[in-house]
Amino acid sequence: MAEPKHGTSPIVIDETPGKKAYCACGLSANLPYCDGSHSREGTGLSPNVVDVDAPGKKAICQCHRSGNMPWCDGTHSKP
Ligand code: FES
């Protein structure tokens, strides 16, 4: 399994309700969403699929160290 390409801060979006697939490999050209790159690149990783039940601002983890994936929990700012 490949190591994900890590970002340094979350991507903050105004999200809409529904099933979402957030990129876990960091290779998507459409971050924070999965675009299938994890499969094309043979990473062995898969996206974080969640049901968003209400619209609103969401911070999507890009450092891949959050304890509450796919949501940012502030871990990116810790050493
Ligand atoms: S493109 Fe990164 S998890 Fe699918």
Side-chain angles (χ1 to χ4, degrees), residues 22-28 34-38 46-47:
Y22 296 115
C23 177
C25 73
L27 301 175
S28 173
C34 172
D35 73 351
S37 294
H38 67 276
S46 6

Side-chain angles (χ1 to χ4, degrees), residues 1 4 6 8 10-11 17 19 22-24 26-27 33 36 39 41 45 47 49 55 65 68 70-72 75-76:
M1 186 176 304
H6 302 289
T8 54
I11 295 175
K19 186 170 273 194
Y22 296 115
C23 177
L27 301 175
Y33 303 105
S39 184
E41 299 293 331
L45 298 167
V49 179
R65 294 188 296 138
N68 187 33
W71 317 122
C72 173
T75 301
H76 66 277

Side-chain angles (χ1 to χ4, degrees), residues 56-77:
K57 209 168 272 301
K58 305 282 187 195
I60 316 300
C61 174
Q62 300 299 300
C63 75
H64 305 114
R65 294 188 296 138
S66 172
N68 187 33
M69 288 296 281
W71 317 122
C72 173
D73 70 354
T75 301
H76 66 277
S77 61

